[in-house]
Amino acid sequence: MPVAIITGASKGLGRALAEGLAGRGWDLVLDARTPGPLAQAARGLSRHGTRVTALAGDVTDAGHRAELVAAAGRLGGVDLLVHNASALGAEPLVELAELPVAGLRRALEVNVVAALGLVQEALVPLRAAEAGAVVVVGSDAAVEAYGTWGGYGASKAALERLAAVLGVEEPGLRVWAVDPGDMATDLYAAAVPGDEQARPAPGAVVPAFLRLLDERPASGRYTAPSLLGA
C-alpha cells in the first residue's frame, strides 16, 4: 500500500485528508503537536483497516521530522508528503504595525523552514517511490493583499515559492501547492474570531487533493475550486 506523511493531521484539513486517503487504502504517518487529539484521530482512521502511525511533536524539530520519515520507512517508504501544519503568527491576526517579530518568526519556521526540512529528510524515499509527490497547503493570502494577513501570507508565499522551485529541481516528483480556499477550521477561527460567515467543512475540498493524485498533473500551484470544477 502507498504511504503518506501528513503534518497537522489531528483536525481540520489534515484530518480530512487522512480520512480520504485511508478510505483509499493508504497507510499513514500522522503528525500534530497535541497527543490527545492526534491519538483520537488515529483511532478513528483504524476503521479503514489501514496502518496508522501517530507521532506527536513539533515539525520545527529536526529530530521529530526524522522520526516521521523513519516511521514511514517502516511502513514501506514515502509516496506522498503533505505539509499542512500551519502557524498564523498572531492569534487573532493583527496588522503588520502590531505583528510581533517572534510571531512572524514562528510562522516562517512552521510554514516554511519545517516544510523544507521535512522534504529534505524524505527526498530519498520520495525519489524511490513509483509516483512520489509533495503537497504543500498554500493560501490565497500568498497572492492577495488582505489586511492583517501579512505575516501569514508572507510565510505562505515563501512556502509556495519553495514548492515551485522544488518542482523544477525534482522533475521525477510531482510537487503541488494547493490553495484550499476558505474553510471552517480552528485555524480560521483563531485568526478571525467572531466571524460567523458560513464556510465549507475541510472534507469538502478533499476531492480536489485526490484528483491531483489520480491525474498527476504537472507540478505547480492549484486551487481547490479549479480542481473541483467550480
Side-chain angles (χ1 to χ4, degrees):
M1 294 297 178
V3 180
I5 298 173
I6 305 175
T7 66
S10 64
K11 56 187 177 180
L13 179 59
R15 173 69 176 82
L17 286 172
E19 185 78 35
L21 291 173
R24 289 183 162 208
W26 283 66
D27 293 325
L28 303 171
V29 176
L30 307 181
D31 148 90
R33 284 188 297 162
T34 309
L38 181 61
Q40 184 178 7
R43 286 193 297 271
L45 293 166
S46 65
R47 64 187 175 84
H48 293 288
T50 58
R51 296 175 295 173
V52 180
T53 300
L55 295 173
D58 193 323
V59 291
T60 66
D61 175 37
H64 177 59
R65 296 194 297 266
E67 289 175 354
L68 293 172
V69 176
R74 290 190 290 271
L75 293 178
V78 183
D79 299 276
L80 172 64
L81 172 59
V82 179
H83 187 71
N84 169 68
S86 290
L88 289 166
E91 297 181 14
L93 294 177
V94 294
E95 294 185 351
L96 289 174
E98 302 172 10
L99 179 64
V101 172
L104 175 60
R105 184 175 293 114
R106 174 65 180 172
L108 291 169
E109 286 286 342
V110 174
N111 302 352
V112 186
V113 178
L116 178 58
L118 189 53
V119 165
Q120 291 174 337
E121 190 73 38
L123 260 181
V124 170
L126 279 168
R127 288 167 174 161
E130 183 177 346
V134 175
V135 171
V136 302
V137 178
S139 171
D140 57 345
V143 295
E144 299 289 346
Y146 301 128
T148 74
W149 289 85
Y152 179 79
S155 70
K156 289 294 186 176
L159 174 64
E160 292 190 9
R161 176 52 54 188
L162 284 182
V165 173
L166 182 65
V168 172
E169 295 176 343
E170 297 290 336
L173 303 179
R174 289 293 186 271
V175 184
W176 302 304
V178 183
D179 170 10
D182 284 350
M183 298 177 292
T185 63
D186 288 352
L187 186 76
Y188 187 87
V192 190
D195 184 346
E196 297 181 357
Q197 181 178 342
R199 288 178 169 79
V205 302
V206 169
F209 290 82
L210 297 181
R211 181 179 177 187
L212 288 173
L213 295 174
D214 289 340
E215 300 181 5
R216 291 184 62 80
S219 297
R221 185 180 197 274
Y222 295 86
T223 68
S226 66
L227 290 167
L228 295 171

